Amino acid sequence: MSKNTICIWYDKDAEAAARFYAETFPDSSVGAITRAPGDYPSGSQGDVLVVEFTVAGIPCIGLNGGPTFKHSEAFSFQIATDDQEETDRYWNAIVGNGGQESECGWCKDRWGISWQITPRTLLEALAAGGGEAKRAFAAMMTMKKIDVATIEAARRGD
């Protein structure tokens, strides 16, 4: 296990979530699965308790802790994409698997985890500052899934 690992609380589906992430994102995998050694408030002995997994190179553990705590946009994964095809692939995988769209490149998976599917051209435009950043930002504010061609046109001032 890494020295620093993100722990994500799930009701009961940490293993299903980890497997979905491993199938969807490169440099992702499912590692050790630990089962509960005894009964606990939200489960029974033998239930999956902790799942070690990696999402796009980031080590995580999923804890099946029950329904007490809910996810919010205060935590999200940001996936930088190279083009519209990659943006569409990740967006459609998350939203099409029981997730939901949000605004400005954000969506949630079916477990309530927030994702920012962000084309690099948008990140570069915002980092450039000035009029380019302002135009790209204004264009982004009208979108759910980011449209790369629209952001690139805004960067140029078209």
Side-chain angles (χ1 to χ4, degrees):
M1 180 187 284
S2 299
K3 186 168 186 89
N4 186 9
T5 303
I6 295 170
C7 180
I8 304 172
W9 184 288
Y10 293 87
D11 182 355
K12 61 184 180 295
D13 293 331
E15 183 177 4
R19 293 195 185 286
F20 171 74
Y21 305 149
E23 293 168 3
T24 303
F25 300 100
D27 196 20
S28 300
S29 61
V30 178
I33 297 173
T34 304
R35 297 190 175 276
D39 292 347
Y40 60 106
S42 296
S44 303
Q45 180 177 342
D47 288 352
V48 172
L49 184 62
V50 175
V51 179
E52 294 180 24
F53 60 98
T54 301
V55 177
I58 304 295
C60 303
I61 60 171
L63 172 65
N64 282 331
T68 303
F69 299 110
K70 303 297 181 201
H71 299 289
S72 79
E73 288 79 1
F75 172 85
S76 64
F77 285 105
Q78 184 181 53
I79 302 293
T81 59
D82 293 324
D83 54 31
Q84 191 68 54
E85 179 184 352
E86 188 178 23
T87 301
D88 292 348
R89 183 171 62 249
Y90 296 145
W91 184 273
N92 294 339
I94 292 168
V95 173
N97 188 40
Q100 65 184 67
E101 295 181 326
S102 190
E103 306 296 324
C104 304
W106 289 63
C107 57
K108 286 186 183 179
D109 65 28
R110 71 179 178 166
W111 300 281
I113 300 294
S114 291
W115 296 81
Q116 299 175 56
I117 309 301
T118 311
R120 291 183 196 280
T121 191
L122 175 58
L123 298 171
E124 292 163 0
L126 296 175
E132 180 178 340
K134 188 172 184 173
R135 291 187 305 271
F137 184 78
M140 176 200 70
M141 293 299 292
T142 68
M143 300 176 185
K144 290 187 183 244
K145 177 175 64 175
I146 302 299
D147 181 279
V148 171
T150 301
I151 295 298
E152 289 174 348
R155 290 184 76 179
R156 293 186 304 268
D158 296 352

